[in-house]
Amino acid sequence: MPNIKQIAEAAGVSVTTVSRVLNGHPYVSAAKRAAVEDAVSRLNYSRNMNAVHLIKGITQTVGVVLPNINHYYFARIMEGMAQAALKRNYQLMLCQTDYNPNEERKVLEMLRNKQMDGLVICSRALSLREIEPYAAYGPIALCERVSGLNLSSVYIDHYASFQTAIRYLWEQGRRRIAFTISRRNSPSSRSRLQAYSDTLAALGGQAREDWVLDGCFDWEDGAALVQRLLAMPERPDALLITGDQVAAGFILTARLQGLEVPDDFAVIGFDNQPIAGLLGITTIDNRLSEIGERAFSIVHEQIHTGGGAPVSEELGFRFIERSSV
C-alpha cells in the first residue's frame, strides 16, 4: 500500500501538504488539494485510522452502556445521542450489557485502554464507586442523578415526577394507588418507591407493599398485570405504570377482559411514547431524547477541553393529561 511520501511524489507536493489535505486543513490551495486527491485516487491509498488515532490521541468514538437496544426507553436516549454525535462527526459504540456487571467492567476497561474517548452510561448494575475511578481515563456521564463524585450526570427528578402523579390521582378521588417498576434496585425505582411512600403518607393514604408490582418492562408484562390485579383480594383503583408500553399492554388487555380505563382503573404512564398519544394515556414526559443529547454533549466537550469539573444537569419533566384518568 502506498504511503504519504509516495502520494506526495505522485502529486508533486510536499509531505506536509499531503498531510494537511488528508486531515482537512483549510489552508491548502485548490490546485494542490486537487492534485493530492487525484494521487490518492490513482494509487488507491487508504489511511490507517488506528495510526491516525494513535497520533491524535483520540478515536472520535464515545461508548454507550445500555442493558438492551430494543426497548423504547433506551432507544429514545440513543436517538438524542446519535443526533448529537452526527453533528460533531463522532461515532457511538453501543455496548449492550443486559445488566451483567462483568460486561459493564469490560466496557470500562475499553475506556481505560483508549478504545473510546468517553462513555455514557444509560443504566447500570455496577456501583458508582466502582465506575468513578475510570473517569481518570476519559469523561463519563450517567443518565441519572449523581453527586459528590467525578462523574457527570443528566437526569429528571423521579421523586418529584412520581409525587406529581400521585397527587393528581388523589385529586381525582383515587385512594387505592399501585405502581409498577421494571427493576426494583435501580436508582430511579428507589426514588419512585420513596415518593410513593412519602406522598401517600402526607395525603393520609396508604402505601402498600403488595401494590408495588415489580418486573414490568414491556407489552407482555403490561398484559400480565391484568390477571395479577384480578387475582388480588383487594384491588387498587389506580396505577402508575413506569413505561407507556407496559401501560398500553395493560389497557388493551383490560378492555378484552371487559374492564374500563379509567372507570375500573385509572392509569398514568411514563416516557410519553407515541402509543400514549394514540391510546389517550396520561403520562409523564421524561425528556429521554434530550437526556441523551445532553449526556453526549457533556462528554464531547470534556474530551476536547481536557476534562474539567463534572457537570450535573437536571431537566424538568412534563405532566401530560389525557383520558386514562
Side-chain angles (χ1 to χ4, degrees), residues 173-243:
R174 306 291 175 159
R175 297 294 182 265
R176 304 190 310 277
I177 301 172
F179 84 96
T180 75
I181 49 180
S182 58
R183 204 167 54 103
R184 194 182 185 95
N185 62 345
S186 73
S188 61
S189 291
R190 289 195 296 269
S191 293
R192 291 168 176 173
L193 184 59
Q194 190 64 52
Y196 177 67
S197 299
D198 293 348
T199 308
L200 283 176
L203 292 170
Q206 182 181 12
R208 291 179 44 162
E209 179 62 30
D210 58 330
W211 287 350
V212 178
L213 306 167
D214 201 355
C216 296
F217 194 72
D218 54 23
W219 301 87
E220 291 81 2
D221 298 325
L225 267 178
V226 176
Q227 293 304 319
R228 289 175 71 177
L229 294 177
L230 291 178
M232 290 181 176
E234 184 180 3
R235 301 175 194 167
D237 61 4
L239 289 167
L240 275 69
I241 300 181
T242 50

Side-chain angles (χ1 to χ4, degrees), residues 114-279:
K114 304 300 182 185
Q115 293 173 260
M116 55 185 68
D117 301 330
L119 186 63
V120 175
I121 300 177
C122 298
S123 191
R124 62 183 170 85
L126 290 178
S127 71
L128 293 175
R129 290 295 179 184
E130 185 168 355
I131 292 169
E132 184 188 24
Y134 288 87
Y137 308 109
I140 300 175
L142 293 97
C143 301
E144 63 180 88
R145 186 201 299 265
V146 178
S147 60
L149 299 174
N150 187 27
L151 298 167
S152 294
S153 62
V154 185
Y155 60 93
I156 71 156
D157 188 335
H158 288 280
Y159 184 99
S161 69
F162 235 62
Q163 187 176 62
T164 297
I166 292 170
R167 285 177 173 168
Y168 180 80
L169 289 169
W170 192 270
E171 290 167 1
Q172 305 305 311
R174 306 291 175 159
R175 297 294 182 265
R176 304 190 310 277
I177 301 172
F179 84 96
T180 75
I181 49 180
S182 58
R183 204 167 54 103
R184 194 182 185 95
N185 62 345
S186 73
S188 61
S189 291
R190 289 195 296 269
S191 293
R192 291 168 176 173
L193 184 59
Q194 190 64 52
Y196 177 67
S197 299
D198 293 348
T199 308
L200 283 176
L203 292 170
Q206 182 181 12
R208 291 179 44 162
E209 179 62 30
D210 58 330
W211 287 350
V212 178
L213 306 167
D214 201 355
C216 296
F217 194 72
D218 54 23
W219 301 87
E220 291 81 2
D221 298 325
L225 267 178
V226 176
Q227 293 304 319
R228 289 175 71 177
L229 294 177
L230 291 178
M232 290 181 176
E234 184 180 3
R235 301 175 194 167
D237 61 4
L239 289 167
L240 275 69
I241 300 181
T242 50
D244 290 330
Q245 281 188 353
V246 182
F250 173 80
I251 289 172
L252 294 173
T253 304
R255 287 176 180 171
L256 294 175
Q257 296 287 332
L259 301 170
E260 294 295 333
V261 172
D263 294 345
D264 295 302
F265 298 101
V267 173
I268 294 179
F270 276 78
D271 305 338
N272 193 28
Q273 301 174 21
I275 191 66
L278 292 172
L279 294 180

Side-chain angles (χ1 to χ4, degrees), residues 255-308:
R255 287 176 180 171
L256 294 175
Q257 296 287 332
L259 301 170
E260 294 295 333
V261 172
D263 294 345
D264 295 302
F265 298 101
V267 173
I268 294 179
F270 276 78
D271 305 338
N272 193 28
Q273 301 174 21
I275 191 66
L278 292 172
L279 294 180
I281 302 172
T282 297
T283 190
I284 290 176
D285 186 346
N286 289 344
R287 299 176 67 180
L288 297 174
S289 182
E290 293 168 80
I291 287 175
E293 186 278 328
R294 287 303 304 139
F296 174 87
S297 297
I298 289 168
V299 168
H300 180 268
E301 182 176 350
Q302 290 180 335
I303 289 168
H304 291 277
T305 58

